[in-house]
Amino acid sequence: MDILVIGGGWFLGKAVVEEALARGWAVTAFNRGRSGAAVPGVRQVVGDRTSVEDLTRLAAQGPWDAVIDTSAAEQPPNVVLAGARALEGAAERYVYISTVSVYAGWPDQPLKVGDPVLDGPADADREYGRNPEGWRGPNLHYGRQKAGTERAVLETFGAERSCLVRPGVILGPGEYVGRLPWWLRRAERGGQILAPGSASKTIQPVDVRDVARFAVDLAQRPGGGVYNATAPIGRDTMGSFLGACLAVTGGKGELRWVPDEVLLEHGVRQWTEVPLWRTGEGVWRVDSESAYAAGFACRPLEETVRDTWEWLQAGNVPVPHPRAAALGIDGDREQEILAATGCLR
């Protein structure tokens, strides 16, 4: 196979490149060259996907058997549309890494492939679907934007030449959002740790390397498809996750479980102030059976936790990203909540 990876310098893109190279494939990576170093063995094309000139120059260096697009998380639909149109004649198929946020029911309803998707035109700009002033619900702007990017790919390459992969939360070595690194550092500090909700609450994060492997598999498989990519429902819990974080960091901390309603009463910000905690019924009820039927495999969460800790201990640091700054509860506030709820001992 000869593939083009849009991105390829960090986290998921890098994992995709490494997986394809391990199979002996030829890999071209198109990115701005600003985040992470080029993986040895890759033909790197430096350019900006928002530039029509750069896209035209890129397309002239094809053809490829497939495009794997890992860098559209912050791009509006019209940018993805322009890129897809530029590459349509230079690639046989398009594997697009999307998100479960495209579903109209996320995060409040259990989800499966085929459920309604948010509105979002293929040619929408960055302003389309903005949340109104003072909006306190889920980030519909992000979901609408990503639904539009999916349509941009489908309308250009067609359903038979397009594969849409919809992960939930992706963790693992190199994670730039910082959810797992935050919990590992919190476990390392020890003491009495605010543990959110219930230890038995199911969670479904997936390892970056497993998403990468699945994307590479899809690149060589005939036909299109839509796939959720999450861990199996019920396999992992918040308790097993935090227990793994404590185990790999030395086990110095003590978990103090604070119920959802108490955290809400104290105004704790879901998803960010306490990473991976959210109360919506559908957050961790994503059916990924179609992906498993197509060969997707999800390693144990404990392995992801261990490998990420080893990656951090080796002196590695995530690529700087503004989302990481929003993560984590202040230590004093954490202890104040524990004391107010009688959980502090």
Side-chain angles (χ1 to χ4, degrees), residues 34-339:
R34 299 178 185 174
S35 301
V39 177
V42 166
R43 177 171 67 125
Q44 185 172 18
V45 178
V46 177
D48 191 329
R49 67 183 299 163
T50 66
S51 165
V52 174
E53 180 180 339
D54 287 356
L55 291 170
T56 301
R57 176 170 54 85
L58 173 65
Q61 299 188 50
W64 297 278
D65 296 309
V67 177
I68 302 180
D69 188 349
T70 68
S71 74
E74 298 173 14
Q75 298 298 335
N78 58 2
V79 168
V80 175
L81 180 63
R85 286 174 172 172
L87 295 171
E88 191 275 329
E92 288 298 317
R93 56 197 294 99
Y94 202 115
V95 179
Y96 180 67
I97 309 301
S98 183
T99 168
V100 295
S101 294
V102 301
Y103 287 110
W106 195 90
D108 299 318
Q109 301 171 12
L111 302 172
K112 63 182 183 303
V113 170
D115 285 347
V117 171
L118 290 166
D119 61 297
D123 60 353
D125 63 17
R126 196 177 300 277
E127 295 305 308
Y128 182 85
R130 287 251 180 227
N131 297 321
E133 190 72 25
W135 177 255
R136 300 182 63 86
N139 188 355
L140 296 180
H141 176 247
Y142 178 70
R144 287 167 174 154
Q145 291 275 303
K146 294 308 101 187
T149 59
E150 287 191 355
R151 292 185 177 100
V153 173
L154 288 169
E155 290 180 11
T156 306
F157 274 77
E160 286 302 308
R161 297 170 61 202
S162 304
C163 287
L164 307 179
V165 182
R166 296 169 176 165
V169 172
I170 304 178
L171 304 178
E175 182 207 336
Y176 62 90
V177 176
R179 297 181 178 105
L180 177 50
W182 187 87
W183 275 116
L184 286 167
R185 294 303 186 191
R186 179 63 193 91
E188 180 187 27
R189 291 199 307 273
Q192 299 189 49
I193 301 170
L194 189 158
S198 166
S200 62
K201 176 81 171 182
T202 186
I203 60 174
Q204 295 179 273
V206 66
D207 193 288
V208 62
R209 295 162 292 185
D210 297 331
V211 177
R213 184 178 298 112
F214 186 51
V216 173
D217 286 344
L218 293 175
Q220 66 178 350
R221 181 175 298 153
V226 180
Y227 307 94
N228 297 332
T230 64
I233 296 173
R235 189 193 71 172
D236 303 310
T237 65
M238 186 62 79
S240 65
F241 168 69
L242 295 183
C245 290
L246 286 171
V248 300
T249 58
K252 296 182 294 184
E254 299 177 78
L255 299 177
R256 298 287 179 248
W257 294 94
V258 180
D260 290 341
E261 58 271 19
V262 175
L263 294 176
L264 293 173
E265 287 172 4
H266 281 80
V268 176
R269 297 191 309 276
Q270 300 186 49
W271 216 232
T272 54
E273 199 169 10
V274 179
L276 301 182
W277 171 67
R278 197 158 188 162
T279 59
E281 184 181 350
V283 174
W284 303 119
R285 296 287 177 182
V286 180
D287 184 339
S288 296
E289 286 304 313
S290 63
Y292 287 100
F296 179 55
C298 185
R299 74 191 65 204
L301 182 55
E302 291 79 7
E303 181 178 333
T304 303
V305 171
R306 183 198 67 213
D307 291 351
T308 302
W309 179 242
E310 291 178 354
W311 184 82
L312 291 169
Q313 289 298 99
N316 295 297
V317 293
V319 171
H321 195 276
R323 290 178 67 184
L327 285 183
I329 189 169
D330 175 78
D332 290 340
R333 175 163 157 77
E334 175 190 28
Q335 298 306 303
E336 287 171 4
I337 292 174
L338 289 176

